[in-house]
Amino acid sequence: MTRKTTLKPAKLTTTRFKPRASALALGIPTLLMGSASFAQSEDAFVLDTLKIEERTLDTNPYTEAGAPYKAKISGDSRHVKDLADTPQTINVLTQTQIQESGKSDLRDVLAAQPGITLGTGENGNAFGDRYIIRGHEARSDVFVDGLRDPGMTTRESFATEQVEITKGPSSTFAGRGSTGGAVNSITKQASTEYDFNKVSGGIGTDNYQRLSLDSNNSVSDDIALRVNLLYSFKDVPDREPADKSRRGFAVSGLFKATEKLQLLGDVYYLNAEDSPDLGTYIVSGGGKPVDDFPVYLQDQDFLKSTVSVATLRAKYDISDSSRIENALRYGTTDNG
C-alpha cells in the first residue's frame, strides 16, 4: 500500500511538469514578438501623400484627365464653374478634335458645327472670317483668351488649345450685341507642369505640305516657355492655280513671381497668303456642282492677311475664393 502511494505522486508530478514546460516554450516567442512590435512603433513615421495622375499625350489642361475629347473647364477664367455646371450652351472643340478633323483654318472648323454658317462676302465685304451663329451676325463676337479680337483676319489653329462656341445671348461674357452667340479661341500657354516636344508633319495630294512644332520647357519651378511654329501650303483641290499659304509662330512665357502673383505673356504672328477662287455653281433642280467650271484667277488676284499680337496678363490670388486679373493686349492686322 505504501508502494502504491509513492508511485502515484511520481506519475502526477511528471504529468504536471509537461504542461508547464509547454507553456514556457510558447511564452518566449510571444515575448519576442511583443518586443519587436514595441520597437517598430517607436521608429514609425508618416509619409506624405503621393498622388499619381495619369496623363495622355494630350496636354490640354482644360480637358478631363484621360479623356482628350471631353472638356471639363473653360479656358476663360471668368467661368468659375465646370462647364457641366455652367447654365449656358457651350460647345467645346478640344485640340485633339481639331487635329483629328484634318482642318486647320478656324473658319473650316466652325463650318462643320451645327448652328454656324459662314458669310461669303455679302454687302461687298469679303475680308477675313465672317461667322453667323443661329442666324445672327457674329463677326465682331470673336474672342481670343477672353479678349475681343477686332481684326477681321484669317485665323489659324496651330496655336489653339481649344475653341469654345457659346450659343444664345452671351452679353454676360461677350458684351452687348452678342445675340446669336460668340466664339472664344483659347491659345496654347506655357506651363511648369510638364516638358514636351511635338513635331507634326503631313504631305498629300494637291501639293499639300504642313509642318508644325509645339514645344514646352519648364526652365525652373517658376519659369516656363512654350513655342509653336507653323509652315503650311496647299492647292485648292481641283481648282488650280488657287492655293493657300500659312506661316506663323506663337511664343508664350510664364513667370511665377510669388506664390500669389503670376505673370503670363505671349506673342502671336501669322502671315496668310491665298490665291482666291470665286468658286463654281450648282445646277438648278438639285444638280451637282459643276467641276469643269473655269477658275477666274488672274496673276494680280490675291488675298493676304498679316496678324501681329502681343498680350500680357497678371493674376494675383487674394484668397482661395477671390483674385485680381488684368490683361493688356496690343495688336495690328493688315488685310489686302
Side-chain angles (χ1 to χ4, degrees):
M1 184 173 180
T2 305
R3 183 181 299 173
K4 291 181 180 180
T5 305
T6 304
L7 289 176
K8 286 181 179 180
K11 292 180 180 180
L12 290 172
T13 302
T14 303
T15 303
R16 290 174 182 174
F17 179 74
K18 287 182 179 180
R20 289 178 183 175
S22 177
L24 180 62
L26 293 173
I28 291 175
T30 304
L31 180 61
L32 293 176
M33 291 177 63
S35 300
S37 301
F38 180 77
Q40 290 179 1
S41 63
E42 288 184 344
D43 298 336
F45 58 94
V46 180
L47 294 173
D48 294 334
T49 303
L50 179 62
K51 183 179 179 180
I52 300 176
E53 182 178 351
E54 182 181 359
R55 286 187 177 273
T56 62
L57 292 177
D58 182 79
T59 55
N60 188 342
Y62 312 110
T63 57
E64 194 79 39
Y69 270 69
K70 184 179 180 181
K72 182 179 181 181
I73 60 177
S74 170
D76 189 345
S77 58
R78 294 176 297 175
H79 292 280
V80 296
K81 296 291 186 178
D82 291 350
L83 291 173
D85 299 328
T86 303
Q88 198 169 16
T89 303
I90 303 178
N91 295 346
V92 180
L93 304 174
T94 64
Q95 178 187 162
T96 303
Q97 289 177 277
I98 297 174
Q99 291 177 348
E100 295 184 359
S101 69
K103 304 180 185 300
S104 56
D105 285 358
L106 183 59
R107 60 175 290 120
D108 296 333
V109 174
L110 296 180
Q113 304 307 311
I116 299 180
T117 55
L118 299 178
T120 57
E122 290 86 349
N123 298 325
N125 190 349
F127 291 111
D129 300 340
R130 184 183 181 189
Y131 312 120
I132 301 173
I133 304 178
R134 290 185 172 180
H136 294 273
E137 179 75 48
R139 188 182 189 87
S140 59
D141 297 324
V142 180
F143 295 78
V144 177
D145 295 328
L147 294 178
R148 190 181 300 273
D149 183 16
M152 305 301 176
T153 65
T154 299
R155 299 176 174 91
E156 242 278 346
S157 62
F158 76 99
T160 301
E161 197 77 80
Q162 66 184 26
V163 177
E164 302 175 0
I165 307 168
T166 304
K167 297 179 181 179
S170 310
S171 59
T172 304
F173 295 96
R176 184 180 62 180
S178 52
T179 307
V183 178
N184 186 21
S185 295
I186 308 301
T187 60
K188 298 177 181 178
Q189 299 293 341
S191 174
T192 57
E193 299 295 328
Y194 37 71
D195 292 337
F196 64 85
N197 295 282
K198 299 179 182 178
V199 178
S200 303
I203 299 177
T205 59
D206 299 294
N207 202 22
Y208 175 82
Q209 309 167 34
R210 186 177 177 87
L211 182 64
S212 63
L213 168 68
D214 186 1
S215 176
N216 187 95
N217 294 280
S218 55
V219 181
S220 64
D221 294 338
D222 301 323
I223 301 176
L225 182 68
R226 187 167 185 174
V227 178
N228 284 268
L229 303 176
L230 170 69
Y231 167 78
S232 174
F233 180 85
K234 61 181 179 181
D235 293 329
V236 178
D238 299 327
R239 304 297 294 171
E240 190 180 356
D243 56 34
K244 295 182 179 181
S245 175
R246 305 283 185 270
R247 294 175 179 84
F249 68 85
V251 180
S252 172
L254 172 66
F255 175 51
K256 297 180 180 178
T258 64
E259 293 182 357
K260 295 185 177 182
L261 178 60
Q262 177 177 296
L263 301 177
L264 182 64
D266 62 77
V267 177
Y268 175 85
Y269 172 81
L270 176 67
N271 181 26
E273 298 183 0
D274 298 352
S275 297
D277 180 18
L278 297 180
T280 181
Y281 65 95
I282 298 177
V283 178
S284 59
K288 296 182 178 180
V290 178
D291 54 7
D292 59 350
F293 192 77
V295 179
Y296 288 104
L297 175 63
Q298 306 178 67
D299 294 337
Q300 295 83 3
D301 293 338
F302 66 92
L303 181 59
K304 294 182 179 181
S305 180
T306 304
V307 186
S308 300
V309 179
T311 307
L312 178 62
R313 297 175 179 272
K315 182 178 72 171
Y316 184 81
D317 295 325
I318 301 175
S319 63
D320 295 337
S321 59
S322 60
R323 67 178 182 270
I324 297 177
E325 292 189 16
N326 184 63
L328 175 65
R329 174 173 293 166
Y330 175 81
T332 62
T333 59
D334 185 10
N335 297 313

